[in-house]
Amino acid sequence: MMMHSPLIHFWAPGLFDFKGGIQVYSQFLLQALQEVYPQARYEVFLMHDRQPVVLTTPNVRFHCFGHLPSRLRKVIYAASLIQTGWHQRPDLVLTTHLNFTRAAAQLKRLTGTPYWTVAHGFEAWNVQQPSLRKALTGADRILGVSSYTCDRLLQEQNLAIHQVDRLPNTFEADRFRIAPKPAHLLQRHGLQPNQPVILTVNRLAAGEPFHSYDQILAALPQIRQMLPEVHYLIVGKGDDRPRLERLIAERQLQDCVTLAGFISDTELPDYYNLCDLFAMPSTLEGFGIVYLEALASGKPVLGGLDGAIDALEQGRLGALVDPHDIPAISQTLTQILQGTYPNPLLYQPMALRKAAIQSFGKAAFRQTLAGLLATSSLGRKAAPQPKALVSSNLVQFTSESL
């Protein structure tokens, strides 16, 4: 039975108008919050969305600021957060981006309202701005999506260990299935059914200091010595494509590399089924939902030594390599494709899928969140509803909105 109907202010960059990692995480987090506390009231403030694209419910109200001119939006958004918080005195502010903690810290000074924030990846690494560092120090809880991010926060900021907890990413597991290689994609890309295919799904961002696909391209000549028919597919769009095309031409890899460009969410599961191995040895991933999507498709996965350590459970669910070690990347990719990598789970598609869902599916995400909330001031004011009492008052996010 609910002892108190809490008021939660939920601050996010957006939920609907743009699909990125933070936006998807924010949707899952809001949905899980409502499942833990379905009778709570939610005021949802979205900085960049113009309007919600899901049905509102009696206990969820959206405030969208994306219609404002960009030069004014940030100031008006922050002022609205503090003004509404001052009048409503929420039980908890939960923000899904560190930059919003400055406003949360100011509201806490005025009203004593506790605030939580989410730390995703590089935006939380090596934070130098004094105002943001101070806001992080004042946070009641920081939810890092991986141990890698949590550890960096603890090492780099003046934080107490009890302030930082891990709430790993989750994903829409039902979108991904184990299936044969799609005939239409084999035909589209001129591939044979038994041809070994490596896949990377990543944005092609010229401004990033490290690109995982560069490392795989550097490893390909050595891989081809053992597997002459290997083909590398890169899915993603961005301003790094011209440089990437020149690099492929300089290394004379045009016959074994395909830049697939942008693909729709609807077609993404087919690309996972097309590959024999998903590889993204990155240094920039706070977690990497794509690893989970590949695992749910029953595919072996290779990741780097960043947030992928969590996604692949320290190597239990996949292979981990030093992203800067090209010989190690080449050797590991070759071993996996030849079936000789010393982790039998990589060759058991159904077991891989089951393990990924057990560790990172929505039920695990909700259970972890419920445990964290139970130990908070909010948890002491309100008891979670029994599962049978969860009602249609929840805002329903569809696969299209995700």
Side-chain angles (χ1 to χ4, degrees):
M1 176 179 292
M2 294 290 292
M3 297 181 292
H4 172 67
S5 179
L7 173 62
I8 298 174
H9 279 202
F10 188 91
W11 304 351
L15 295 176
F16 309 112
D17 288 354
F18 171 76
K19 187 192 173 201
I22 294 177
Q23 286 73 20
V24 172
Y25 187 98
S26 299
Q27 285 199 357
F28 286 133
L29 181 56
L30 179 57
Q31 189 171 44
L33 269 172
Q34 294 177 89
E35 290 169 350
V36 176
Y37 293 128
Q39 301 306 319
R41 294 169 295 134
Y42 297 89
E43 299 284 340
V44 181
F45 295 80
L46 305 174
M47 183 173 178
H48 298 301
D49 286 343
R50 293 178 176 271
Q51 61 183 12
V53 297
V54 300
L55 295 176
T56 58
T57 66
N59 62 336
V60 180
R61 184 165 62 170
F62 291 101
H63 307 265
C64 297
F65 295 78
H67 61 282
L68 297 172
S70 57
R71 59 188 177 84
L72 299 175
R73 188 181 309 156
K74 183 177 180 180
V75 174
I76 296 175
Y77 180 76
S80 298
L81 298 178
I82 296 170
Q83 182 181 33
T84 309
W86 168 263
H87 287 294
Q88 294 187 348
R89 306 298 172 99
D91 294 283
L92 176 68
V93 165
L94 201 163
T95 170
T96 65
H97 198 290
L98 293 190
N99 286 345
F100 299 160
T101 55
R102 296 182 180 93
Q106 187 170 345
L107 180 62
K108 185 176 182 178
R109 286 193 294 272
L110 293 171
T111 66
T113 301
Y115 64 95
W116 292 18
T117 189
V118 179
H120 298 273
F122 60 84
E123 89 287 349
W125 305 341
N126 196 31
V127 174
Q128 297 295 327
Q129 305 97 312
S131 61
L132 183 53
R133 289 173 64 95
K134 185 176 181 180
L136 290 177
T137 302
D140 293 84
R141 190 158 293 179
I142 301 173
L143 304 177
V145 301
S146 66
S147 296
Y148 182 82
T149 291
C150 290
D151 291 344
R152 288 198 62 159
L153 279 167
L154 288 169
Q155 292 168 8
E156 296 169 357
Q157 307 301 323
N158 184 28
L159 301 173
I161 193 168
H162 69 268
Q163 287 180 276
V164 180
D165 284 292
R166 191 173 70 104
L167 183 62
N169 285 74
T170 186
F171 69 118
E172 196 70 48
D174 290 343
R175 289 183 56 219
F176 305 94
R177 300 289 181 182
I178 298 170
K181 294 188 176 186
H184 71 284
L185 290 186
L186 289 171
Q187 182 178 9
R188 179 187 300 177
H189 297 299
L191 301 171
Q192 299 300 314
N194 295 325
Q195 189 172 0
V197 176
I198 302 170
L199 172 70
T200 296
V201 177
N202 201 195
R203 61 185 177 273
L204 309 185
E208 292 185 350
F210 185 93
H211 300 99
S212 62
Y213 41 80
D214 282 6
Q215 307 305 91
I216 298 175
L217 290 175
L220 267 181
Q222 188 174 348
I223 297 171
R224 296 180 80 186
Q225 292 179 14
M226 301 297 294
L227 298 165
E229 300 301 315
V230 69
H231 199 89
Y232 182 33
L233 268 171
I234 303 174
V235 166
K237 66 176 181 177
D239 57 0
D240 196 39
R241 179 163 182 144
R243 182 198 66 85
L244 188 53
E245 289 174 339
R246 291 193 300 270
L247 181 62
I248 292 169
E250 289 169 2
R251 296 183 176 179
Q252 299 182 336
L253 297 172
Q254 299 97 317
D255 61 331
C256 68
V257 179
T258 296
L259 301 180
F262 170 80
I263 61 169
S264 67
D265 289 344
T266 303
E267 201 168 29
L268 180 59
D270 286 343
Y271 272 86
Y272 286 118
N273 287 321
L274 178 63
C275 79
D276 298 279
L277 164 61
F278 181 85
M280 197 170 72
S282 176
T283 64
L284 299 172
E285 289 299 324
F287 184 89
I289 295 176
V290 288
Y291 300 122
L292 304 184
E293 295 172 349
L295 291 170
S297 305
K299 300 301 179 178
V301 172
L302 177 141
L305 302 180
D306 49 10
I309 297 172
D310 278 49
L312 300 182
E313 292 195 333
Q314 294 74 44
R316 185 178 80 89
L317 301 182
L320 295 167
V321 296
D322 180 348
H324 299 282
D325 191 339
I326 302 302
I329 293 172
S330 174
Q331 180 183 13
T332 304
L333 292 175
T334 301
Q335 284 182 322
I336 294 173
L337 291 172
Q338 289 181 327
T340 61
Y341 188 77
N343 182 348
L345 184 60
L346 271 60
Y347 306 106
Q348 301 173 42
M350 288 302 299
L352 268 181
R353 174 179 170 82
K354 182 178 179 181
I357 293 172
Q358 284 180 338
S359 294
F360 302 108
K362 286 185 177 180
F365 184 82
R366 182 176 61 247
Q367 183 177 1
T368 302
L369 178 63
L372 294 170
L373 289 167
T375 62
S376 69
S377 59
L378 179 66
R380 291 188 288 273
K381 293 179 180 179
Q385 283 285 79
K387 187 174 182 179
L389 296 182
V390 173
S391 71
S392 59
N393 282 345
L394 299 184
V395 169
Q396 298 297 320
F397 293 101
T398 64
S399 60
E400 286 78 14
S401 62
L402 288 171

